[in-house]
Amino acid sequence: MASFLPLMLVLVLIVLLSGVKSDQESDRIWQLPGQPANVDFSQYSGYVTVDPRHGRALFYWLVEAVPSAGPDNAPLVLWLNGGPGCSSIAYGASEEIGPFRIQADGHNLYLNPHSWNTVANLLFLESPAGVGFSYSNTSLDLYTAGDVRTATDAYAFLENWFERFPKYKYREFYIAGESYAGHYIPQLAQFIYRRNKGVQNPSINLKGFMVGNAVTDDYHDYIGTFEYWWTHGLISDATYHNLRSTCMQDSSEHPSIECVKNLNIASAEEGNIDPYSIYTRPCNNTAALMRGINGRYPWMSRAYDPCTERHAKIYYNLPEVQRALHANATGIKYDWDTCSNIVGTYWADSPRSILPIYQELIAAGQRIWVFSGDTDAVVPVTATRYSIDALKLPTLVNWHPWYDNGKVGGWSQIYKGLSFVTVTGAGHEVPLHRPRQALILFRHFLKNKPMPQ
């Protein structure tokens, strides 16, 4: 009898492990439609249920590191886009840090030479439910999403995902993203940190996070944004002063009528520009783009395609693409889209400031880097600087330029507990506009080394 029990335990273990293996293999992406040849890294995608009672399930896409990066030892990085209500597949994976870009025909892919999977394993998550392929069987969930549920669901996702991919347990784990993920990321990091407290060897081995052009603190974000618009000649003196007098006490999610009125005036004064990248053309004239309009403006980067969202909407609605990704298995009654208007419009809860979380996680010794593209007028560099300044952190290394091949790539300042980096010429999506410099930034973040001088 004594020898029979260990044998039974071994059999149970084998069954459990084979179940994990089969779950992984059922999520494996064998080949994406239009995928280029010679792809040498593994990919997985599928669903993880985070609330069985409501039927909420979040869609993920794992892109493992290239062989030269040593995927079995490279860190795992969770990437989140913001909105709220926007897809990390549409933005992070497809036009920023992922291995593939979508051709203008919306049917074919090409390799991104500056993909972050050259140094790390990348996990993209469409969050919360209702965003992209993520769904809920309880339709009310789409109208009641907010910061708290987004964090708790993301944590539930991670717990379940690590069970499906146990080789990533205890691996160095980081979270990165941008924009309204300036709320998601610190909140999720705080959730993980508090759950890990007192645990000797936590399976979610969080080491830190990095956020770019991040919504951080409503008061300081407003000050910095209005100042950026005014100092860059986008709005009039009168509108600048009116914005400061009518919006400063408001929440960014619930501005007053007078504030909205002045924000609309500001938008009219700014005109037909891309506020996410004020010195590049907006995507509003396909014919002009086909003629190569940027040839008339040699200072505009030819590498930047302002219509990448259009390409994504075509590609991810192709039935063969959804089959390859194991996506839309339940037959969602609406098309995949880059952002969910329902989720974003009905956002339920949003604290005015994330700075108290920064203070807690800085004290806990988490690695925190904040970066900013300096041509973004939506969450501009001035807003981020005001928010960081409000933390009143001691400076360890004063403001200084960093370099890429002898050229200034941006500027940096290192505080006690936080590093701040700007990327010159980059808009709201830094890796879209300055992919090479963004990869340099990411490499230095992972090593926790100052930017090159």
Side-chain angles (χ1 to χ4, degrees), residues 196-209:
N196 285 351
K197 261 186 174 180
V199 178
Q200 188 67 30
N201 190 22
S203 58
I204 305 179
N205 184 22
L206 179 67
K207 294 297 185 182
F209 66 83

Side-chain angles (χ1 to χ4, degrees), residues 51 69 82 119 195 253 265 285 292 338 350 352 361 370 396 444:
D51 187 331
V119 290
R195 287 295 180 95
E253 291 298 306
I265 292 171
N285 189 333
T338 54
S350 176
R352 291 193 173 199
L361 297 180
V370 178
L396 301 181
H444 283 74

Side-chain angles (χ1 to χ4, degrees), residues 217-224 244 248-250 352 387:
D217 176 275
D218 285 1
Y219 178 79
H220 295 99
D221 285 352
Y222 266 145
I223 290 178
R244 286 186 62 104
M248 295 314 303
Q249 301 306 316
D250 292 347
R352 291 193 173 199
S387 291

Side-chain angles (χ1 to χ4, degrees), residues 139-196:
S139 57
L140 183 63
D141 284 349
L142 276 61
Y143 295 85
T144 55
D147 281 22
V148 171
R149 189 198 297 158
T150 299
T152 55
D153 277 4
Y155 183 80
F157 164 83
L158 288 173
E159 279 196 311
N160 293 322
W161 187 88
F162 276 101
E163 291 303 316
R164 191 177 301 182
F165 289 86
K167 73 174 185 178
Y168 286 106
K169 286 184 177 182
Y170 317 111
R171 188 85 61 96
E172 280 196 7
F173 176 65
Y174 300 92
I175 315 173
E178 70 198 11
S179 194
Y180 196 79
H183 276 219
Y184 298 162
I185 292 170
Q187 289 168 334
L188 178 57
Q190 180 191 51
F191 205 112
I192 296 170
Y193 164 69
R194 289 181 173 181
R195 287 295 180 95
N196 285 351

Side-chain angles (χ1 to χ4, degrees), residues 9 48 51 53 64 68 80-81 145 150 153 163 176 198 205 209 222 263 280 289 347-348 369 403 411 426 432 445 447:
L9 289 172
V48 172
D51 187 331
R53 187 169 62 89
E64 292 194 324
S68 61
L80 299 173
N81 280 92
T150 299
D153 277 4
E163 291 303 316
N205 184 22
F209 66 83
Y222 266 145
L263 287 169
T280 51
L289 293 175
W347 199 250
W369 280 40
Y403 289 87
W411 288 265
L432 170 63
F445 164 73
K447 295 177 181 177

Side-chain angles (χ1 to χ4, degrees), residues 5-33:
L5 280 174
L7 179 60
M8 285 294 292
L9 289 172
V10 169
L11 290 173
V12 168
L13 185 60
I14 289 171
V15 170
L16 289 173
L17 288 175
S18 64
V20 166
K21 187 73 173 175
S22 64
D23 284 345
Q24 277 189 34
E25 284 306 304
S26 65
D27 283 358
R28 182 184 288 276
I29 300 171
W30 294 103
Q31 180 156 336
L32 291 169

Side-chain angles (χ1 to χ4, degrees), residues 80-95:
L80 299 173
N81 280 92
C86 292
S87 163
S88 300
I89 303 299
Y91 297 99
S94 302
E95 62 181 49

